Each structure stands twice: as C-alpha cells, then as structure tokens.
Amino acid sequence: MKIKDKHFKVLLDYEQISKRVMELAAAINHDYEGKNPLFIAIMNGAFMFAADLMKHVHIPSEITFIKVNSYQATKSTGNVKELIGLQENIFKRNLIIIEDIVDTGNTISHLLEDFNTLGADSIEIVALLHKPEAVKKKVAIKYQGFSIPNKFVVGYGLDYDGYGRNTRDIFELLE
C-alpha cells in the first residue's frame, strides 16, 4: 500500500486486532469490576482502538479524550506537546490510559507525571502496540495488545503526516 511517498505492507490484519481488543476488554472488565474507571484516550491515534475497546467494556465507566503530540513525519521529536487537555477531575479516580502505541515512552511518562500530581488513585495503561526496542523511558503497560519491531507503522488510527488513519489493518513501512 502507498501512503503519500512511502510504501507499506500489512503487519497486523483487522481480525488479529479485533480478537486482541476483545481479550484486553475482558481483562479490564474483570480487573475493574465495581471500580468505575475513567478511560483517557490519547488522540488522534487511539481513536479507533478506543472505540473498539469501549464496545467490549461492560463495567460502569467513563471515557474522555486528550490530544498530545510528539511525532513529526515518521520520527519522534522527543518533546511532548499537550494540545487539548483534561477537563475531568481525576482526584481519587482509577484511570486507564488508552494509547495506540508506546515506543519511546516519552508521551506516557509525561502523562503519568501529570496525572499523579492530580491525585489519581491508580493509573494503568492499555496500549494496542508496544515497541520494546525503541524505549527511552520505561513504563509499565498492564494491558498490551502486540509487541512489534521498531518500525514505523500506520493504519487503524495511526498516521503518516495525517494520512492512513482510516485503514482497518496496521501496516509497517517498507525500507
């Protein structure tokens, strides 16, 4: 598949993704029964993952969205820029951060610091993708979808310069 000036091949198809999303939701349903967690989806990339995950979360819960950015083209800038912030009071809440991908760990580390200072009771991460080889700041991911190689990926909400978010599958960059 071609997106803008780059070529990609399928890394994970929608059937694999769907199956894993249901498994993650089942684990969350079990672990958070009776706890009323607040899900915080990180936009833009996590929008498809968050929507599919929440279809299978059957416990009382809320969801909100924040927008942060640390990527430019196919590389992490290393800087986390908060674009749209959190409006809900998270004091004494159980938070579950919904992230499309954890690679360097910079974005999640930044958010964990911010949320801890606001008095959350607990904070866990559900990430569809994790790139262990790219980690610069180690974070604990309680609910992990897939561990992938340190390659640029697009699709299922992830983008290349704003394009490719609308595919059902996840594609990796062909070098």
Side-chain angles (χ1 to χ4, degrees), residues 64 72 108 145:
T64 191
Q72 192 168 39
I108 287 292

Side-chain angles (χ1 to χ4, degrees), residues 34-146:
K35 294 186 179 177
N36 189 28
L38 172 63
F39 288 86
I40 301 174
I42 311 304
M43 301 322 249
N44 286 337
F47 80 97
M48 279 196 191
F49 176 42
D52 285 350
L53 181 73
M54 295 307 290
K55 290 173 191 170
H56 301 286
V57 170
H58 303 300
I59 55 171
S61 60
E62 297 174 81
I63 186 168
T64 191
F65 304 88
I66 63 172
K67 186 172 181 178
V68 295
N69 187 10
S70 64
Y71 259 77
Q72 192 168 39
T74 62
K75 303 281 186 223
S76 175
T77 64
N79 299 315
V80 178
K81 178 180 159 188
E82 189 169 341
L83 303 175
I84 298 173
L86 183 67
Q87 301 299 312
E88 287 74 12
N89 181 357
I90 64 168
F91 186 71
K92 298 285 186 191
R93 292 294 306 266
N94 295 300
L95 307 181
I96 302 174
I97 299 172
I98 303 174
E99 181 66 292
D100 55 354
I101 186 167
V102 175
D103 46 21
T104 64
N106 288 333
T107 300
I108 287 292
S109 292
H110 175 82
L111 293 173
L112 289 172
E113 287 173 24
D114 286 353
F115 295 161
N116 276 319
T117 63
L118 295 173
D121 260 1
S122 69
I123 307 170
E124 297 295 351
I125 300 164
V126 56
L128 181 63
L129 305 174
H130 181 227
K131 291 182 186 178
E133 297 167 20
V135 170
K136 293 183 180 173
K137 291 185 180 178
K138 191 170 179 142
V139 294
I141 303 170
K142 184 166 185 177
Y143 307 101
Q144 178 180 300
F146 301 94

Side-chain angles (χ1 to χ4, degrees), residues 12-22 49 52 128 146 156 168-170:
L12 298 165
D13 65 40
Y14 186 70
E15 287 72 28
Q16 292 172 282
I17 296 166
S18 293
K19 181 176 185 271
R20 188 65 184 131
V21 168
M22 285 189 276
F49 176 42
D52 285 350
L128 181 63
F146 301 94
Y156 193 71
R168 291 170 35 109
D169 301 330
I170 294 175

